[in-house]
Amino acid sequence: DTEVTQTPKHLVMGMTNKKSLKCEQHMGHRAMYWYKQKAKKPPELMFVYSYEKLSINESVPSRFSPECPNSSLLNLHLHALQPEDSALYLCASSQGWRSGGSGNTIYFGEGSWLTVV
Amino acid sequence: AQSVAQPEDQVNVAEGNPLTVKCTYSVSGNPYLFWYVQYPNRGLQFLLKYITGDNLVKGSYGFEAEFNKSQTSFHLKKPSALVSDSALYFCAVEGAQKLVFGQGTRLTINP
Protein backbone atom coordinates (compact mmCIF):
# COMPACT_ATOMS: atom_id res chain seq x y z
CA ASP A 1 0.00 0.00 0.00
CA THR A 2 1.66 3.20 -1.18
CA GLU A 3 -0.97 5.65 -0.08
CA VAL A 4 -0.70 9.16 1.28
CA THR A 5 -4.06 10.60 2.25
CA GLN A 6 -4.73 14.32 2.27
CA THR A 7 -7.74 16.25 3.58
CA PRO A 8 -9.55 18.32 2.59
CA LYS A 9 -9.40 17.93 -1.18
CA HIS A 10 -10.62 21.48 -1.67
CA LEU A 11 -10.45 24.47 0.66
CA VAL A 12 -11.60 28.04 0.14
CA MET A 13 -10.54 30.51 2.80
CA GLY A 14 -10.53 34.22 3.39
CA MET A 15 -7.39 36.16 4.07
CA THR A 16 -8.19 36.44 7.78
CA ASN A 17 -9.12 32.79 8.30
CA LYS A 18 -7.17 30.07 10.09
CA LYS A 19 -7.37 26.62 8.54
CA SER A 20 -5.30 23.43 8.41
CA LEU A 21 -4.37 20.86 5.81
CA LYS A 22 -3.91 17.29 7.01
CA CYS A 23 -1.86 14.39 5.73
CA GLU A 24 -1.58 10.78 6.85
CA GLN A 25 0.51 7.80 5.78
CA HIS A 26 0.69 4.25 7.12
CA MET A 27 3.72 3.00 5.23
CA GLY A 28 6.06 3.35 8.18
CA HIS A 29 7.85 6.19 6.47
CA ARG A 30 9.95 8.49 8.63
CA ALA A 31 10.23 11.44 6.24
CA MET A 32 7.29 13.63 5.30
CA TYR A 33 7.07 16.65 3.04
CA TRP A 34 4.94 19.58 2.02
CA TYR A 35 5.19 20.79 -1.57
CA LYS A 36 3.36 23.67 -3.24
CA GLN A 37 2.44 23.46 -6.91
CA LYS A 38 1.13 26.17 -9.18
CA ALA A 39 -0.66 25.29 -12.41
CA LYS A 40 1.56 23.67 -15.05
CA LYS A 41 4.66 24.14 -12.88
CA PRO A 42 6.78 21.62 -10.99
CA PRO A 43 6.19 21.13 -7.27
CA GLU A 44 8.22 23.40 -5.00
CA LEU A 45 9.45 22.04 -1.70
CA MET A 46 8.23 23.86 1.41
CA PHE A 47 9.12 21.69 4.40
CA VAL A 48 10.72 18.35 5.24
CA TYR A 49 10.23 16.45 8.47
CA SER A 50 12.65 13.68 9.23
CA TYR A 51 11.96 11.42 12.21
CA GLU A 52 9.29 13.91 13.36
CA LYS A 53 11.72 16.82 13.42
CA LEU A 54 11.69 19.72 11.00
CA SER A 55 14.83 19.31 8.92
CA ILE A 56 14.20 21.65 5.99
CA ASN A 57 12.27 24.91 5.76
CA GLU A 58 12.72 26.41 2.30
CA SER A 59 12.32 29.99 3.58
CA VAL A 60 8.56 29.65 3.68
CA PRO A 61 6.61 32.66 5.07
CA SER A 62 5.48 32.26 8.65
CA ARG A 63 1.82 32.33 7.62
CA PHE A 64 2.47 28.64 6.82
CA SER A 65 3.17 26.60 9.94
CA PRO A 66 3.92 22.88 9.70
CA GLU A 67 3.37 20.37 12.46
CA CYS A 68 4.26 16.70 12.74
CA PRO A 69 2.31 15.23 15.70
CA ASN A 70 3.65 11.71 15.11
CA SER A 71 5.38 9.64 12.46
CA SER A 72 2.15 9.09 10.51
CA LEU A 73 0.66 12.57 10.52
CA LEU A 74 1.64 15.89 9.03
CA ASN A 75 -0.33 19.11 9.24
CA LEU A 76 0.03 22.48 7.57
CA HIS A 77 -1.55 25.33 9.50
CA LEU A 78 -2.61 28.32 7.44
CA HIS A 79 -3.19 31.84 8.71
CA ALA A 80 -3.52 35.24 7.05
CA LEU A 81 -2.81 33.88 3.60
CA GLN A 82 -2.65 35.93 0.44
CA PRO A 83 -4.44 35.25 -2.87
CA GLU A 84 -1.09 34.34 -4.43
CA ASP A 85 -0.92 31.42 -1.99
CA SER A 86 -3.71 29.74 -3.93
CA ALA A 87 -2.25 26.50 -5.25
CA LEU A 88 -2.23 22.73 -5.00
CA TYR A 89 -0.55 21.62 -1.78
CA LEU A 90 0.99 18.19 -1.97
CA CYS A 91 1.98 16.04 0.96
CA ALA A 92 4.48 13.24 0.43
CA SER A 93 6.38 10.64 2.39
CA SER A 94 9.39 8.37 2.05
CA GLN A 95 11.77 6.20 4.02
CA GLY A 96 14.14 8.12 6.24
CA TRP A 97 17.21 9.70 4.74
CA ARG A 98 20.82 8.78 5.23
CA SER A 99 23.94 10.64 4.29
CA GLY A 100 25.45 10.00 0.88
CA GLY A 101 22.13 9.57 -0.85
CA SER A 102 19.45 6.95 -0.52
CA GLY A 103 17.41 6.54 -3.69
CA ASN A 104 14.26 6.74 -1.58
CA THR A 105 11.04 6.85 -3.54
CA ILE A 106 8.87 9.76 -2.46
CA TYR A 107 5.15 9.00 -2.61
CA PHE A 108 2.69 11.83 -3.08
CA GLY A 109 -0.89 12.31 -2.02
CA GLU A 110 -3.60 13.61 -4.31
CA GLY A 111 -3.20 17.11 -2.94
CA SER A 112 -5.36 19.79 -1.40
CA TRP A 113 -6.56 22.56 -3.69
CA LEU A 114 -6.41 25.83 -1.80
CA THR A 115 -8.14 29.01 -2.94
CA VAL A 116 -7.58 32.20 -0.96
CA VAL A 117 -10.21 34.89 -1.52
CA ALA B 1 23.82 21.52 -7.02
CA GLN B 2 21.70 18.73 -8.46
CA SER B 3 19.47 19.68 -11.38
CA VAL B 4 17.51 18.20 -14.25
CA ALA B 5 16.33 19.74 -17.48
CA GLN B 6 13.42 18.75 -19.67
CA PRO B 7 14.08 20.43 -23.00
CA GLU B 8 10.57 19.99 -24.41
CA ASP B 9 7.56 21.74 -22.91
CA GLN B 10 5.21 19.70 -25.09
CA VAL B 11 5.41 16.41 -26.96
CA ASN B 12 2.72 15.17 -29.35
CA VAL B 13 2.60 11.56 -30.48
CA ALA B 14 0.08 9.55 -32.47
CA GLU B 15 -1.57 6.66 -30.66
CA GLY B 16 0.31 3.43 -31.23
CA ASN B 17 3.61 5.15 -32.00
CA PRO B 18 6.62 5.00 -29.70
CA LEU B 19 7.10 7.95 -27.39
CA THR B 20 10.13 9.56 -25.79
CA VAL B 21 10.18 12.28 -23.15
CA LYS B 22 13.63 13.73 -22.68
CA CYS B 23 15.52 14.52 -19.50
CA THR B 24 19.14 15.50 -18.89
CA TYR B 25 20.78 15.82 -15.50
CA SER B 26 23.62 17.57 -13.76
CA VAL B 27 24.81 16.09 -10.47
CA SER B 28 27.84 15.76 -8.27
CA GLY B 29 28.29 12.15 -7.31
CA ASN B 30 26.01 9.26 -8.21
CA PRO B 31 22.69 10.29 -9.73
CA TYR B 32 19.43 8.99 -8.31
CA LEU B 33 16.87 9.77 -11.01
CA PHE B 34 13.09 9.53 -11.05
CA TRP B 35 10.12 9.94 -13.35
CA TYR B 36 6.68 10.97 -12.14
CA VAL B 37 3.41 11.45 -13.99
CA GLN B 38 0.62 13.87 -13.11
CA TYR B 39 -2.83 13.45 -14.59
CA PRO B 40 -5.16 16.47 -14.62
CA ASN B 41 -6.22 17.59 -11.16
CA ARG B 42 -4.31 14.75 -9.49
CA GLY B 43 -1.18 14.31 -7.42
CA LEU B 44 2.12 12.95 -8.70
CA GLN B 45 2.43 9.24 -9.36
CA PHE B 46 5.80 7.50 -9.26
CA LEU B 47 6.69 5.72 -12.51
CA LEU B 48 10.26 4.49 -12.11
CA LYS B 49 13.71 5.28 -10.81
CA TYR B 50 17.37 4.65 -11.52
CA ILE B 51 19.66 3.98 -8.57
CA THR B 52 22.34 1.72 -9.92
CA GLY B 53 22.78 -1.34 -12.09
CA ASP B 54 21.04 -1.99 -15.42
CA ASN B 55 20.82 1.16 -17.53
CA LEU B 56 17.34 0.23 -18.76
CA VAL B 57 14.80 0.66 -16.00
CA LYS B 58 11.27 -0.68 -16.32
CA GLY B 59 8.38 0.95 -14.52
CA SER B 60 4.62 1.24 -14.26
CA TYR B 61 2.13 1.30 -17.16
CA GLY B 62 4.65 -0.07 -19.67
CA PHE B 63 7.07 2.84 -19.32
CA GLU B 64 10.83 2.42 -19.26
CA ALA B 65 13.75 4.79 -19.06
CA GLU B 66 17.31 4.55 -20.28
CA PHE B 67 20.13 5.92 -18.15
CA ASN B 68 23.03 7.18 -20.25
CA LYS B 69 26.00 8.33 -18.22
CA SER B 70 28.05 9.67 -21.12
CA GLN B 71 25.18 11.83 -22.34
CA THR B 72 23.92 12.58 -18.80
CA SER B 73 20.42 11.67 -19.91
CA PHE B 74 17.51 9.70 -18.51
CA HIS B 75 14.87 9.64 -21.23
CA LEU B 76 11.44 8.13 -20.61
CA LYS B 77 10.14 5.78 -23.30
CA LYS B 78 7.19 3.62 -24.21
CA PRO B 79 7.00 1.38 -27.30
CA SER B 80 3.33 2.07 -28.11
CA ALA B 81 1.54 5.16 -26.82
CA LEU B 82 -2.03 5.17 -25.51
CA VAL B 83 -4.40 8.12 -25.42
CA SER B 84 -4.57 7.56 -21.66
CA ASP B 85 -0.84 8.35 -21.42
CA SER B 86 -1.66 12.01 -22.03
CA ALA B 87 -0.46 13.82 -18.91
CA LEU B 88 2.28 16.00 -17.44
CA TYR B 89 5.57 14.20 -16.88
CA PHE B 90 8.28 15.27 -14.46
CA CYS B 91 11.86 14.11 -14.31
CA ALA B 92 13.53 14.53 -10.91
CA VAL B 93 16.88 14.01 -9.22
CA GLU B 94 17.55 13.35 -5.58
CA GLY B 95 19.03 16.32 -3.76
CA ALA B 96 19.64 16.74 -0.06
CA GLN B 97 16.54 15.15 1.54
CA LYS B 98 14.37 16.18 -1.37
CA LEU B 99 13.57 15.79 -5.05
CA VAL B 100 14.60 18.46 -7.52
CA PHE B 101 12.15 18.52 -10.41
CA GLY B 102 12.46 19.51 -14.02
CA GLN B 103 9.96 21.95 -15.50
CA GLY B 104 7.75 19.18 -16.83
CA THR B 105 6.73 17.98 -20.28
CA ARG B 106 3.13 17.86 -21.38
CA LEU B 107 2.59 14.69 -23.38
CA THR B 108 -0.40 14.55 -25.70
CA ILE B 109 -1.32 11.33 -27.47
CA ASN B 110 -3.52 11.90 -30.49
CA PRO B 111 -6.06 9.21 -31.47
Side-chain angles (χ1 to χ4, degrees), chain B residues 74-108:
Chain B
F74 188 56
H75 299 334
L76 182 70
K77 300 181 179 184
K78 187 173 182 181
S80 179
L82 300 173
V83 172
S84 57
D85 293 328
S86 298
L88 185 56
Y89 289 81
F90 291 104
C91 180
V93 64
E94 181 178 298
Q97 295 188 52
K98 63 184 179 182
L99 286 177
V100 178
F101 288 92
Q103 288 301 305
T105 298
R106 181 158 300 281
L107 176 65
T108 301

Side-chain angles (χ1 to χ4, degrees), chain B residues 18-99:
Chain B
L19 69 87
T20 298
V21 183
K22 296 180 180 178
C23 173
T24 58
Y25 66 88
S26 174
V27 303
S28 54
N30 294 322
Y32 296 147
L33 297 161
F34 302 78
W35 276 102
Y36 285 82
V37 60
Q38 186 172 33
Y39 297 101
N41 301 316
R42 304 291 298 276
L44 273 68
Q45 294 182 30
F46 168 71
L47 281 177
L48 50 79
K49 68 180 177 183
Y50 173 81
I51 305 300
T52 186
D54 194 346
N55 289 342
L56 185 64
V57 179
K58 293 189 183 297
S60 305
Y61 312 122
F63 284 94
E64 58 190 26
E66 185 171 10
F67 173 72
N68 188 316
K69 188 173 183 178
S70 63
Q71 297 184 6
T72 62
S73 67
F74 188 56
H75 299 334
L76 182 70
K77 300 181 179 184
K78 187 173 182 181
S80 179
L82 300 173
V83 172
S84 57
D85 293 328
S86 298
L88 185 56
Y89 289 81
F90 291 104
C91 180
V93 64
E94 181 178 298
Q97 295 188 52
K98 63 184 179 182
L99 286 177

